[in-house]
Amino acid sequence: QVQLVESGGGLVQPGESLKLSCAASGSLSSIDAMGWYRQGPGKTRDKVATITTGGSTNYADSVAGRFTISRDNAKNTVYLQMNSLKFEDTAVYYCNAARHGPTWVIDYWGNGTLVTVSS
């Protein structure tokens, strides 16, 4: 029903920048928010940044001030601008779209794009 395709991952050195894109398609009218999650080696999948249909954004403490989430509604695309990248940012980054109810949430996921920060 909802398809998400990430792109933009790659290999970068510490301190460099990278911009990820997530193209959404399908039945999007019920989606309340979109965001980026990441899963590093041996770690859980954690929320990085989210943006609601109203434009409100939230960031994990570990990326606040370095990452910026944005959207282009005409293109149904969400972006994640990542600056001042660190070794610990290395992870598979997943695009998420969510439909929230008062007591439940439905999540849709892309297949992920790998970001490797290495010297």
Side-chain angles (χ1 to χ4, degrees):
Q1 186 176 39
V2 175
Q3 296 81 43
L4 305 171
V5 180
E6 304 97 334
S7 62
L11 174 64
V12 295
Q13 295 188 6
E16 294 184 341
S17 298
L18 202 62
K19 189 173 184 178
L20 306 182
S21 298
C22 172
S25 61
S27 300
L28 304 177
S29 61
S30 62
I31 299 299
D32 304 310
M34 297 188 67
W36 291 93
Y37 291 64
R38 68 185 182 185
Q39 186 168 14
K43 300 179 180 179
T44 58
R45 184 179 298 189
D46 297 323
K47 184 166 64 177
V48 175
T50 59
I51 185 167
T52 68
T53 55
S56 298
T57 59
N58 282 283
Y59 298 92
D61 290 341
S62 58
V63 307
R66 298 188 298 121
F67 291 11
T68 302
I69 188 170
S70 62
R71 68 187 180 193
D72 185 334
N73 290 333
K75 297 181 179 180
N76 290 325
T77 301
V78 176
Y79 305 95
L80 184 68
Q81 177 66 50
M82 304 183 293
N83 298 326
S84 302
L85 284 162
K86 305 174 180 179
F87 292 128
E88 51 263 41
D89 294 320
T90 295
V92 176
Y93 284 72
Y94 296 92
C95 184
N96 167 265
R99 177 186 179 186
H100 294 90
T103 59
W104 53 266
V105 58
I106 298 176
D107 287 299
Y108 302 91
W109 298 96
N111 290 326
T113 184
L114 178 63
V115 174
T116 301
V117 184
S118 177
S119 60

